Amino acid sequence: MSKTSTIGSAASSMKRKNSIWHALPYIAPHFIIFAVFGIIPIIFGIGLAFTRWNMVGAPKFVGLQNFAKIFDPSTYFYSIFWRDLGHTLLFVLVSVPLTIIVPLLLAVALSKKGLKGAGLFQAIFYIPGLISIAAGALVWRMVFNSQFGLLNTTFHDNLLAIARAGAGVNNIPLDRCSEQGIVVFNTPGANANAVAELVIGMLIAGSRNVAAAAQWCQGLTGDPAMAKTVEKGKKQFVGNEIKGKTLGVIGLGAIGSRVANCAIELGMEVYGYDPYISIDAAWNLSSQVHHCVNLNDMLPLCDYITIHVPYLPTTKDTINTQTLTLCKDGVKILNYARGELVNTEALLEAMETGKVSGYMTDFPSEAILGKPGIVCTPHLGASTPEAEDNCAVMAALEISDYLKNGNITHSVNMPEVNQPRAGGKRICIIHKNEPGMISQITALTTEAGLNIENMVNKSKKNMAYTMLDATGAVDKKLAEKLAAIPAVIRVRIL
């Protein structure tokens, strides 16, 4: 071999060693690992954008039937889709440069160095990937905070109130809100008519076996003797009328009282049980409803039982083996409040023995689906545009009255305080429910030379709210002194 060819071969070999392709094996493992960290969140984010999440995080795919809604700004799907897609694109902008472009640039630099200091460069390759993972974690923290309600959200000091357009507040950190002086409102009764109508509808439909009969009819497609088949088959779906039957209503709040009143108008005998019935509910309840002071006395009288109480540790499994034993044989039960109020195991056992002949509920579960005599609807209770409008309007009015006048109505973490203005300025104080608070507050108002026109103080568990209408020098200086009281959480002057 000539000297010239030897030199050429050596130069070619050195060129290959100094090429980017020769450097790639050194960065390939890191490139793959960190690219995966970037690609998986991107795929997940795009999938998430096509998914809507309810408040407890159960995913429901948007589906083709709702696909057009992601382009309609007036829909819920529109805001969810483009928000999640935006988070994903943000992650792409962060992860792609750090997991793909930067390693390639380092590979070029490494090739120019002739692989000298390869170990150092390999260590450097970890840096962009780690930054990418950290950035991705921050982005996805934003995603999950928005998906799972307010439970993980940091509240600013200027946040005064939160309103839930509905009754449930399990997605709101109530204790943290109380500690920061944030009033949490809900809208009980705003969807009462929608739920009550569904209950009455299912009461009738369940009595006449409408769901099973309608499903049976779907199988008649193509039957040449359909008329005869219908006449012959209808016998298996014979039901009963509700007029003259007895209905027991557990819980006589906004929904329960409406159901009871409607049932009276339909000719039913109605018994009601509610040891905590409010004055407003009592006024709205028909005088023909028999009020029972003991649930055990009511159950043996009823052909139908409908439950309308909130889900609490004390109300869990209200319908259980013991209560079902007291019921009439063949009783029908309706549950459009919460699924946990009825013990599933006890219910299924009672249905097998004939103690319960029908169960209508708005809360499907794996255990009850497909069981004879059970009719499930997909949580349709408040699913009407009228109910949604009512909830939104009530929530807006509650917040407006609080911001303008300091009145608190339908709060779940603060006491109910509602009074007309008596003149002057209004001082609103959220504080802990501790002894001596009134004297400390009035001492400062006396020191400021104020004349208190009206004053109210109410408490709810460990929280209290004091509201004063006062004339005189009600100013920022007074507010600062009131806020300096150790147990005071928030002071507003309106």
Side-chain angles (χ1 to χ4, degrees):
M1 181 178 294
S2 68
K3 185 176 180 180
T4 304
S5 63
T6 302
I7 294 173
S9 176
S12 177
S13 175
M14 182 63 69
K15 185 177 181 181
R16 287 194 301 271
K17 286 183 179 180
N18 290 346
S19 71
I20 188 172
W21 302 110
H22 191 72
L24 282 177
Y26 288 87
I27 70 166
H30 314 294
F31 175 81
I32 294 171
I33 291 172
F34 295 128
V36 167
F37 273 108
I39 292 169
I40 289 179
I42 291 170
I43 295 172
F44 178 72
I46 293 173
L48 190 64
F50 281 94
T51 307
R52 62 179 294 268
W53 295 66
N54 61 26
M55 302 313 293
V56 294
K60 298 177 181 178
F61 194 70
V62 168
L64 294 177
Q65 70 276 15
N66 291 315
F67 186 77
K69 293 182 180 179
I70 65 176
F71 301 104
D72 183 356
S74 65
T75 65
Y76 170 79
F77 292 102
Y78 177 88
S79 59
I80 293 294
F81 177 82
W82 294 109
R83 180 196 66 195
D84 293 338
L85 197 60
H87 288 154
T88 302
L89 293 176
L90 178 60
F91 186 84
V92 170
L93 292 175
V94 173
S95 65
V96 169
L98 292 174
T99 59
I100 299 176
I101 298 174
V102 173
L104 287 176
L105 292 177
L106 289 174
V108 172
L110 184 60
S111 66
K112 290 180 178 179
K113 290 286 185 181
L115 300 182
K116 293 179 181 180
L120 175 62
F121 275 101
Q122 280 184 304
I124 293 175
F125 291 150
Y126 282 103
I127 296 174
L130 292 173
I131 296 174
S132 173
I133 294 170
L138 291 175
V139 171
W140 287 105
R141 184 174 182 271
M142 292 162 48
V143 173
F144 284 108
N145 278 350
S146 61
Q147 290 291 0
F148 293 105
L150 303 174
L151 293 177
N152 299 316
T153 300
T154 300
F155 299 129
H156 295 287
D157 293 337
N158 60 356
L159 179 62
L160 299 178
I162 297 172
R164 164 76 165 92
V169 289
N170 59 306
N171 61 317
I172 301 174
L174 297 180
D175 291 340
R176 191 150 54 89
C177 287
S178 298
E179 292 170 1
Q180 293 186 237
I182 301 169
V183 183
V184 179
F185 298 95
N186 67 350
T187 56
N191 58 12
N193 187 71
V195 178
E197 284 186 3
L198 180 62
V199 171
I200 293 298
M202 295 308 297
L203 175 67
I204 298 172
S207 299
R208 301 299 294 272
N209 298 311
V210 170
Q215 187 174 12
W216 177 80
C217 284
Q218 297 302 313
L220 300 178
T221 303
D223 187 349
M226 189 178 298
K228 291 183 178 180
T229 305
V230 166
E231 290 303 316
K232 183 179 180 180
K234 69 180 183 181
K235 297 176 183 178
Q236 60 185 308
F237 303 110
V238 172
N240 60 268
E241 299 180 20
I242 64 172
K243 183 178 181 180
K245 302 298 188 297
T246 303
L247 172 66
V249 183
I250 303 175
L252 295 169
I255 298 172
S257 60
R258 278 177 168 82
V259 171
N261 291 345
C262 190
I264 289 288
E265 295 299 320
L266 292 171
M268 300 187 77
E269 190 81 8
V270 180
Y271 289 83
Y273 168 75
D274 191 339
Y276 309 107
I277 186 171
S278 67
I279 295 174
D280 289 340
W283 275 108
N284 292 327
L285 195 62
S286 169
S287 60
Q288 297 181 54
V289 176
H290 306 289
H291 186 232
C292 297
V293 296
N294 191 312
L295 179 61
N296 293 346
D297 293 337
M298 184 182 80
L299 295 176
L301 305 173
C302 303
D303 302 301
Y304 301 84
I305 295 171
T306 181
I307 185 167
H308 302 285
V309 298
Y311 172 56
L312 303 169
T314 54
T315 59
K316 185 178 186 294
D317 294 337
T318 296
I319 304 298
N320 52 50
T321 301
Q322 289 73 29
T323 52
L324 288 172
T325 301
L326 297 172
C327 294
K328 277 185 179 182
D329 290 343
V331 68
K332 288 182 172 66
I333 297 174
L334 298 96
N335 178 15
Y336 288 81
R338 286 291 184 272
E340 296 85 355
L341 300 175
V342 176
N343 184 284
T344 301
E345 186 178 344
L347 171 73
L348 294 175
E349 184 178 342
M351 294 199 71
E352 287 179 4
T353 63
K355 171 62 75 172
V356 177
S357 63
Y359 179 56
M360 286 72 79
T361 182
D362 215 14
F363 309 97
S365 69
E366 193 69 32
I368 63 176
L369 289 174
K371 295 292 190 294
I374 296 181
V375 179
C376 298
T377 49
H379 206 179
L380 296 177
S383 297
T384 68
E386 295 88 352
E388 292 177 359
D389 289 347
N390 290 340
C391 287
V393 169
M394 181 182 287
L397 291 175
E398 289 168 353
I399 288 184
S400 176
D401 195 22
Y402 175 65
L403 296 180
K404 293 178 180 178
N405 303 308
N407 292 324
I408 298 179
T409 306
H410 298 144
S411 173
V412 294
N413 68 331
M414 298 289 172
E416 296 261 333
V417 178
N418 197 319
Q419 69 173 6
R421 285 180 177 265
K425 290 187 177 181
R426 174 161 284 187
I427 305 171
C428 306
I429 308 168
I430 296 175
H431 55 87
K432 295 178 182 178
N433 186 17
E434 295 182 359
M437 287 303 300
I438 299 299
S439 60
Q440 293 183 69
I441 292 170
T442 54
L444 290 175
T445 58
T446 301
E447 179 185 314
L450 303 185
N451 180 43
I452 297 177
E453 303 288 344
N454 203 348
M455 177 176 175
V456 61
N457 170 270
K458 289 187 178 181
S459 63
K460 185 172 187 177
K461 296 182 179 179
N462 63 331
M463 299 302 300
Y465 187 58
T466 300
M467 192 160 62
L468 307 89
D469 290 332
T471 54
V474 182
D475 52 21
K476 184 179 180 181
K477 187 176 179 180
L478 173 63
E480 291 174 350
K481 289 184 177 181
L482 289 169
I485 298 174
V488 169
I489 298 172
R490 188 187 294 274
V491 177
R492 291 197 304 142
I493 296 178
L494 307 174

